[in-house]
Amino acid sequence: MKTSLRSLLASALLSTASVAALGQSAATPTAPVAAATDTARISLNPSLINAVSVQSFEEFRATVQPLVKQMAGKKVVAMGEGTHGTAEFYKLRFWLTRILMEEYGFSQVALENDYTDTYLLNEGLRQPKAAVESLMKAHLYSIWQNQETAELLTWMQTHNRTHRRQVQVRGIDFGYVLPEARELSALAARYPKSGLQELTATLTKHAALQDSIWDNLNKKDFKFPRKRWLAGGLEGYYTAEKIQQTLTTARLPRKQRELAEGFALDAKVAFDVFYQFTVKKRNSSRDSLMAEMTNFMVRGKNEKVIVWAHDAHVSRKIAMADDPGNGGGTGAFLERMLPGQYFVLGTSTATGTFAATTDKRITRTSPMASYPLESPLVGSWEAFLSEVSAPVFYLSTKQLSTQNLKRPLRFVGYMPSSGKDDYSNFKLTEAFDALLFVRQTTAATPLR
């Protein structure tokens, strides 16, 4: 991918350094891939192929039971997406999520979306007559604004009407800051003895600037206030940090304190890029920050979460070129935080269409359109997997043995590019515990 997650705003914003945490794209390869690292032809042992039926939820459920049992005992199950705009990736992850929630005690699904914005979406879904699509447009990045995601949320809304054990949609990202600033301000006003009012007012000021800039960056005539943005971002970080410190002794009921802790953490990681750039003179690691948000959701003994994010993030190995010190994808950080409690499923495809946007920075209003996937790179995993007779199947990567070769793996983000610059050399075991492959896929269906 030509537009890097790690350097998405570099030329426009910081000139001399990349802005790691602010980009929302999926991945940039470690280097342009001209040929596979290993050139040996792969002929997969048929015993490794687990064919999957997608004709109905019931048939799907029957064919993925061995995969689900591998996931069931983990605290964090990540389900990746090889593109941000493939209908089948949304649909099949919804079905897997439903199984884990109905049968194995998972109660949270967390999207690669702003943490507090997704909290507001979840609160809205609790209302009896809530319009799912309107809530999605108000609180989700446009990559999630499709009919397939609406099916997940509608099912969750219906489930919660008839079950005592509620399920929730959460977020692990931090693109916007005003939602958490406003929620913290509302708590401060409701509990004036908490000592948060002045701090939350300051946070709201800096959050308003941050979000205004983010929403205007796609406009060609936007005049970017670089100095004010940097200064306000650093002050926003310190303010969020002070709110965290104040919360340790603030006079708040337990439930409200827990909510405030999440909002404050969300604000701090959103402003982390300014602290890292100005004080530490280095990039901010979006993968590590999303791992921190995920870990926050499973603090309790019996809490478990399903994460929906791009393959490049949930991977155990970093897929980006310009942050070699990042230490891995979000998955690698989570494995270190929760040893043995992380399972990651990647998803991939060979041909078809996918939804993408020409906007360089993803927002809630970035327009999505359908684009054709380029043919898989010769020698890539996608090229070999497309030769399997089953149109949809999964495999456990640890069973590949001598066939676990390092070769190009495709990572397509939210922009239209899907060619040779969108690959990185991987052994599948370096990225995923299992891979779900759909040979031909279609673009996600936009909301009406």
Side-chain angles (χ1 to χ4, degrees):
M1 174 180 301
K2 295 179 181 178
T3 302
S4 166
L5 165 66
R6 303 294 158 185
S7 59
L8 185 63
L9 306 182
S11 59
L13 308 185
L14 300 183
S15 300
T16 59
S18 62
V19 181
L22 291 180
Q24 305 299 334
S25 64
T28 292
T30 53
V33 179
T37 301
D38 290 311
T39 58
R41 183 174 180 79
I42 294 178
S43 180
L44 291 174
N45 187 324
S47 66
L48 302 180
I49 304 303
N50 300 277
V52 173
S53 173
V54 295
Q55 297 305 306
S56 68
F57 171 70
E58 290 73 20
E59 291 183 26
F60 175 82
R61 180 186 174 281
T63 54
V64 297
Q65 281 304 300
L67 175 63
V68 169
K69 288 178 181 177
Q70 292 180 62
M71 300 173 168
K74 306 296 184 179
K75 282 185 78 70
V76 179
V77 171
M79 299 181 187
E81 53 194 15
T83 87
H84 273 314
T86 296
E88 289 79 4
F89 296 163
Y90 290 104
K91 177 181 178 180
L92 300 184
R93 287 184 300 174
F94 161 41
W95 283 357
L96 284 168
T97 297
R98 178 178 170 182
I99 296 168
L100 290 171
M101 286 182 162
E102 288 183 331
E103 302 178 29
Y104 294 98
F106 284 80
S107 60
Q108 306 174 85
V109 57
L111 310 180
E112 186 184 324
N113 193 72
D114 184 83
Y115 173 90
T116 308
D117 239 349
T118 316
Y119 164 81
L120 295 171
L121 167 65
N122 189 72
E123 290 299 292
L125 291 173
R126 295 179 186 274
Q127 304 305 313
K129 297 182 180 180
V132 173
E133 293 190 3
S134 295
L135 288 168
M136 292 173 67
K137 291 177 181 178
H139 299 296
L140 294 179
Y141 302 148
S142 63
I143 57 173
W144 301 108
Q145 293 180 27
N146 53 62
Q147 294 294 337
E148 290 76 23
T149 302
E151 289 182 17
L152 164 74
L153 299 176
T154 301
W155 174 81
M156 294 177 69
Q157 187 182 47
T158 302
H159 174 94
N160 286 342
R161 287 172 182 160
T162 56
H163 292 75
R164 177 176 294 181
R165 188 179 65 83
Q166 300 283 283
V167 294
Q168 301 179 70
V169 59
R170 311 291 297 273
I172 63 168
D173 211 351
F174 35 87
Y176 291 97
V177 200
L178 262 179
E180 48 266 37
R182 287 170 173 164
E183 290 302 304
L184 285 166
S185 294
L187 282 171
R190 185 178 175 188
Y191 300 97
K193 294 183 179 180
S194 64
L196 292 168
Q197 287 178 300
E198 184 176 344
L199 287 170
T200 56
T202 301
L203 185 71
T204 301
K205 179 183 70 173
H206 296 304
L209 174 65
Q210 165 78 3
D211 286 12
S212 174
I213 291 173
W214 184 257
D215 276 331
N216 282 286
L217 280 172
N218 291 312
K219 299 177 180 178
K220 293 182 180 180
D221 59 348
F222 177 62
K223 294 182 179 180
F224 174 63
R226 183 177 182 274
K227 290 184 179 180
R228 192 156 60 96
W229 180 75
L230 284 171
L234 182 61
E235 184 59 32
Y237 178 89
Y238 286 133
T239 303
E241 192 172 54
K242 289 176 184 177
I243 290 173
Q244 286 184 310
Q245 294 167 356
T246 303
L247 284 172
T248 61
T249 57
R251 297 177 64 179
L252 288 170
R254 181 180 62 84
K255 184 176 180 180
Q256 277 65 41
R257 183 189 302 276
E258 291 175 353
L259 285 173
E261 288 171 348
F263 302 146
L265 176 60
D266 187 21
K268 183 179 177 180
V269 299
F271 284 118
D272 180 77
V273 62
F274 303 97
Y275 174 77
Q276 298 298 335
F277 172 73
T278 306
V279 179
K280 298 294 185 178
K281 310 300 181 184
R282 65 188 183 192
N283 285 348
S284 178
S285 166
R286 181 166 168 237
D287 281 342
S288 68
L289 296 172
M290 289 199 291
E292 188 173 353
M293 296 306 302
T294 304
N295 190 40
F296 178 79
M297 297 174 196
V298 292
R299 293 176 301 169
K301 181 179 179 181
N302 297 316
E303 291 176 331
K304 301 192 288 186
V305 65
I306 303 159
V307 173
W308 287 22
H310 197 277
D311 279 351
H313 293 306
V314 297
S315 168
R316 295 178 183 275
K317 177 184 174 182
I318 188 68
M320 292 74 169
D322 43 6
D323 192 10
N326 189 33
T330 297
F333 288 104
L334 283 168
E335 183 61 50
R336 291 196 285 273
M337 293 173 177
L338 302 163
Q341 291 298 312
Y342 182 69
F343 184 96
V344 52
L345 171 73
T347 61
S348 185
T349 184
T351 61
T353 58
F354 69 106
T357 182
T358 55
D359 275 3
K360 292 183 178 180
R361 293 100 196 171
I362 198 71
T363 68
R364 303 183 190 103
T365 58
S366 296
M368 305 292 288
S370 177
Y371 295 87
L373 277 166
E374 293 192 31
S375 298
L377 192 68
V378 174
S380 67
W381 277 108
E382 287 78 8
F384 286 112
L385 295 173
S386 67
E387 296 176 356
V388 173
S389 59
V392 183
F393 66 91
Y394 74 87
L395 56 82
S396 295
T397 62
K398 291 180 181 178
Q399 295 178 348
L400 286 170
S401 187
T402 57
Q403 295 178 320
N404 184 36
L405 304 176
K406 181 171 286 189
R407 57 184 63 249
L409 181 67
R410 184 159 59 184
F411 296 93
V412 177
Y414 60 69
M415 297 186 74
S417 172
S418 62
K420 63 182 180 63
D421 291 336
D422 297 282
Y423 289 81
S424 188
N425 284 326
F426 271 80
K427 293 181 179 180
L428 287 186
T429 52
E430 293 176 327
F432 315 118
D433 294 302
L435 180 70
L436 177 64
F437 188 79
V438 185
R439 185 190 305 142
Q440 185 165 8
T441 52
T442 53
T445 311
L447 295 178
R448 292 182 292 272

